[in-house]
Amino acid sequence: MGLLLVLRAPLPHPRSLRRATRAQRRERLRTDAEEWAIAEERGLLLDVSVEDLLPLLNAAGGNRLPVLGQLDPWSDGVFTREDLPQLAADVDRLGAAAGDAAERGLVAALKALLVRWRDEPGLVLNWYGD
């Protein structure tokens, strides 16, 4: 299971695929996969294992973290620019709670993604859960 964090331009209105045909759903998945591959090449995507993230979140305060504590790794959502300062503070708390090299690597990757977000102000941070 994973959590995909992607920096992308805000979508005007999210489209529901609830009434889409199978062909439309396949096309949407193909388009998303292509966009995510490009985002990964540009350093705008982070694929996080939920099994690695949840213990670290719990060690850092769990649901008491203002932004990351509300994150549901099994749903989708968007962080806006207004969330950035508090999200950075949450990631700093994760860094303080990191106990091994894998957790420190995860925190470093999250910090790098936030730096990219600061450098490209027209983007929002989307998360896509399993």
Side-chain angles (χ1 to χ4, degrees):
M1 290 197 317
L3 178 68
L4 197 63
L5 299 167
V6 182
L7 288 171
R8 66 192 306 184
L11 299 174
H13 294 288
R15 293 185 192 160
S16 172
L17 293 179
R18 200 175 301 166
R19 296 180 189 216
T21 65
R22 281 190 200 153
Q24 289 171 324
R25 287 177 191 265
R26 278 194 304 268
E27 177 61 23
R28 176 64 186 238
L29 290 173
R30 186 190 62 74
T31 303
D32 283 346
E34 289 173 0
E35 179 184 349
W36 293 341
I38 293 168
E40 188 170 27
E41 289 173 8
R42 294 184 54 212
L44 302 175
L45 178 140
L46 180 61
D47 191 1
V48 178
S49 167
V50 173
E51 289 83 13
D52 295 337
L53 181 62
L54 288 181
L56 183 57
L57 281 173
N58 290 334
N63 61 1
R64 291 188 310 269
L65 295 172
V67 176
L68 288 178
Q70 308 311 313
L71 179 69
D72 181 2
W74 294 277
S75 67
D76 301 342
V78 178
F79 292 125
T80 63
R81 299 292 294 178
E82 292 79 29
D83 297 319
L84 183 57
Q86 193 60 54
L87 185 58
D90 285 358
V91 172
D92 288 340
R93 287 184 65 187
L94 290 180
D100 60 21
E103 290 178 345
R104 286 189 293 275
L106 174 57
V107 170
L110 285 168
K111 285 183 178 185
L113 190 65
L114 294 180
V115 167
R116 285 298 304 256
W117 192 12
R118 281 189 191 110
D119 293 344
E120 299 195 31
L123 303 178
V124 294
L125 181 60
N126 291 265
W127 84 82
Y128 301 95
D130 277 344

